[in-house]
Amino acid sequence: MLGRHAGRAALLDAGIDFAAVEAVYGGSALPNSPRAIYLARELGMTGVPVHHVTNASASGLAAMHDAWLAIASGLHEVVLVIGYDAPEATGSAEMAIAAQGFAPPVSLFSMWANRRAQEVGTTERHLALVAAKNWNYAAGNPNALRQPTETVTVEKVLGSRLIAAPITSMMCTPWGDGAGAAVLMSAEMLARTRGASPYVAKISASVSNTEVYEDGLILEGAIIGSATITGAGAQAALTIAGVGPKDLDVVQVHDAFAVEEIVYCEQIGLSVPGETEELLERGAFGPGSREKFGLAEVSTDGGLIARGHASGGTGLAQVHETLRRFRNHGDQVGLVQLVGVGGVCYTQIFTRGKRK
């Protein structure tokens, strides 16, 4: 299964085997997905504690957060984190959402996009610029669910099937299976191991937060509320890590729908309302953005829009991409962010490190 393959790959990369793992944290959002204990058994029955973490689309980062706390507290020196989800093959995203009794997420984010159009002039083209950028990033990601064989243009995105105006199908994340894994170690344990690469990613901050009441907050149903939840989490994480938005080299956000990436970039502090669309038109947040604009590249593995969104697997995919960028592109600081229905948010800051 995908979770087992991801776990084995993470152990190989870390330079250890499963016998060295002191605990397993598994993150998944869907009730029919494999439980963490079943994945642990696939890797070895060693008697280690196994924790199953569920927090909607943010489940993978939630598992990372809890594993990080276990390392930081001194409880464990080596923890394996696996994020995974496998939607029902006979069902659909729409059926799963309808069974829970609330409006499809695309309807909510269509409202975001239309409100933003009124407030700052965001157009369908701006949403398509985000989507095309992410589809083209996915062309270089062999693990992406959507892998275009030719350059994706803004016109192609705009010409795709309309889902909820102004959002088209190519501006939406696809529904599918997926898994990712990471090994977390204490500094002392890291010094005693030799992995596949001398470069590692250090978690410099991990923040979990929920909404604070404000006027206009929608409390009915399991949906995402105010975007300010991301701003609060990002500000806290950046402060803890001792870096600012302009220090970020690479960023992964919850871009399930193109409008989200625009809003979250602003909430993180990469831009301000009114200038983000102009920056997109000039090529910001894409390849070369750091050199041209002093701004991070965003959703560099295709994001949820093109890499796909396997719920629990997504957070670990973001972590994997951040480490890949550290190793292959020399990036020094990365941020990952995910929100989950009900109004939860996880934000983590990674800094590039080297084995001693």
Side-chain angles (χ1 to χ4, degrees):
M1 64 176 62
L2 293 174
R4 180 185 64 211
H5 295 321
R8 286 179 172 173
L11 292 170
L12 181 64
D13 183 77
I16 61 173
D17 56 30
F18 188 69
V21 173
E22 298 175 6
V24 175
Y25 284 74
S28 72
L30 303 178
N32 56 297
S33 289
R35 303 289 92 179
I37 184 61
Y38 298 130
L39 286 180
R41 287 176 179 172
E42 291 284 328
L43 295 168
M45 299 178 68
T46 62
V48 299
V50 176
H51 306 270
H52 182 87
V53 182
T54 295
N55 219 337
S57 292
S59 295
L61 290 188
M64 281 287 292
H65 180 78
D66 288 356
W68 172 72
L69 290 175
I71 295 285
S73 70
L75 179 63
H76 298 301
E77 282 198 297
V78 184
V79 176
L80 175 64
V81 184
I82 306 179
Y84 48 87
D85 262 312
E88 288 282 3
T90 56
S92 68
E94 290 80 5
M95 291 171 61
I97 291 163
Q100 297 178 61
F102 54 89
V106 68
S107 299
L108 170 70
F109 292 109
S110 169
M111 296 177 194
W112 275 30
N114 282 294
R115 179 173 180 175
R116 187 175 177 89
Q118 295 296 317
E119 293 177 342
V120 299
T122 306
T123 67
E124 294 93 335
R125 180 176 176 80
H126 294 130
L127 303 180
L129 283 166
V130 171
K133 169 182 70 68
N134 295 357
W135 275 80
N136 290 324
Y137 267 131
N141 178 7
N143 297 314
L145 189 60
R146 289 168 159 172
Q147 295 179 347
T149 56
E150 59 185 19
T151 300
V152 172
T153 65
V154 168
E155 289 69 31
K156 183 176 180 64
V157 174
L158 290 172
S160 61
R161 183 166 58 99
L162 186 66
I163 304 299
I167 298 174
T168 69
S169 62
M170 290 183 70
M171 300 176 190
C172 303
T173 183
W175 189 253
D177 300 357
V183 173
L184 274 63
M185 294 183 181
S186 67
E188 293 75 18
M189 182 65 181
L190 181 66
R192 300 196 297 268
T193 63
R194 291 292 178 269
S197 170
Y199 294 104
V200 298
K202 175 186 176 183
I203 302 179
S204 296
S206 184
V207 171
S208 168
N209 64 310
T210 58
E211 291 178 309
V212 175
Y213 180 80
E214 59 184 74
D215 290 342
L217 184 65
I218 299 174
L219 298 175
E220 182 179 354
I223 58 176
I224 306 299
S226 171
T228 57
I229 186 175
T230 290
Q235 182 57 57
L238 291 166
T239 299
I240 292 169
V243 298
K246 298 299 175 67
D247 296 316
L248 299 171
D249 297 307
V250 62
V251 169
Q252 313 299 329
V253 297
H254 191 283
D255 64 318
F257 304 95
V259 66
E260 288 188 89
E261 182 169 311
I262 296 175
V263 173
Y264 297 146
C265 280
E266 293 175 353
Q267 289 291 319
I268 290 167
L270 296 177
S271 56
V272 298
E275 75 170 18
T276 311
E277 286 77 5
E278 180 186 354
L279 284 167
L280 281 167
E281 291 172 355
R282 295 167 56 199
F285 312 120
S289 180
R290 197 78 171 94
E291 294 75 18
K292 297 175 185 176
F293 306 98
L295 296 170
E297 294 184 38
V298 181
S299 302
T300 52
D301 63 352
L304 282 68
I305 285 175
R307 179 238 299 130
H309 180 32
S311 297
T314 295
L316 275 296
Q318 291 183 330
V319 172
H320 174 270
E321 173 62 8
T322 303
L323 179 57
R324 186 191 71 83
R325 292 282 304 196
F326 286 177
R327 291 177 174 176
N328 298 344
H329 294 264
D331 292 346
Q332 301 292 319
V333 185
L335 179 149
V336 301
Q337 169 266 353
L338 284 175
V339 293
V341 292
V344 301
C345 182
Y346 284 84
T347 309
Q348 294 169 0
I349 306 289
F350 292 86
T351 51
R352 186 177 189 244
K354 192 172 183 180
R355 294 175 185 267
K356 296 179 180 179

